[in-house]
Amino acid sequence: MGKSFLARVPAPVKLGVPVAAGLLAAACSAGGTSYGSGSAPASSGTSGGSTTGVVIETHSGSGGTFLTDGSGRAVYLWVKDGMNKSVCTGACAGAWPPVMAKGKVTASGGAKASDLGTISRPGGGKQVTYDGHALYYFAGDSGSGQTSGQGSSSFGAKWWLVAPAGTQITAADSATG
């Protein structure tokens, strides 16, 4: 029955299924990356446009002072990344969107301008770094002051908040406004 059924299926349908599956896989992979390249709150100021810069500043929590973006959203480092290198792509970048630089990157509060930089993302664009650590948001943090990604082991390594000194904060955190 299987062979006769396939013989009756038009060739475009036979070819369309693998093509559709490939497009779906590409869309899912790109979806994670595109979220990290602009959809996550990565800028401060009132314009909110893609040409505004990224501000990295500090916020206080029970685990200490940690880095945030200009709107107070926590940023994290991933232990699996190398110095000035990001290996978080695909599904990882969907759950942990990279902090992307589309304009000037500046420091405020206790963050040090001399520790800010950018690296090229594997899929394109520039990711913000601090003291050589690629910075990420956590998709599970819905707003300012949330640190629910702290200490996560997702994607095979720990995710930590970043101290103004550029070191990882390993203490549990309950951020304060």
Side-chain angles (χ1 to χ4, degrees):
M1 179 172 155
K3 190 170 185 175
S4 65
F5 173 76
L6 287 177
R8 289 184 280 156
V9 174
V13 172
K14 288 180 193 175
L15 294 174
V17 171
V19 170
L23 289 173
L24 180 60
C28 289
S29 175
T33 302
S34 67
Y35 178 60
S37 62
S39 298
S43 63
S44 68
T46 56
S47 69
S50 62
T51 59
T52 60
V54 175
V55 176
I56 298 298
E57 57 187 31
T58 54
H59 197 88
S60 293
S62 62
T65 301
F66 59 92
L67 300 180
T68 69
D69 71 1
S71 65
R73 188 161 180 203
V75 297
Y76 300 84
L77 64 80
W78 192 32
V79 174
K80 195 171 187 178
D81 282 342
M83 190 59 96
N84 289 311
K85 183 174 182 174
S86 171
V87 293
C88 178
T89 60
C92 177
W96 296 90
V99 178
M100 300 299 287
K102 294 200 174 216
K104 185 175 178 166
V105 181
T106 58
S108 180
K112 295 184 267 180
S114 60
D115 284 344
L116 286 171
T118 60
I119 56 172
S120 296
R121 286 285 301 160
K126 295 287 184 188
Q127 183 173 2
V128 178
T129 63
Y130 192 83
D131 194 32
H133 301 288
L135 299 180
Y136 302 87
Y137 296 109
F138 176 52
D141 290 344
S142 61
S144 174
Q146 294 191 353
T147 58
S148 52
Q150 175 66 348
S152 171
S153 294
S154 63
F155 299 95
K158 289 285 192 179
W159 295 87
W160 300 114
L161 292 168
V162 185
T167 56
Q168 61 194 22
I169 298 173
T170 58
D173 187 79
S174 174
T176 59

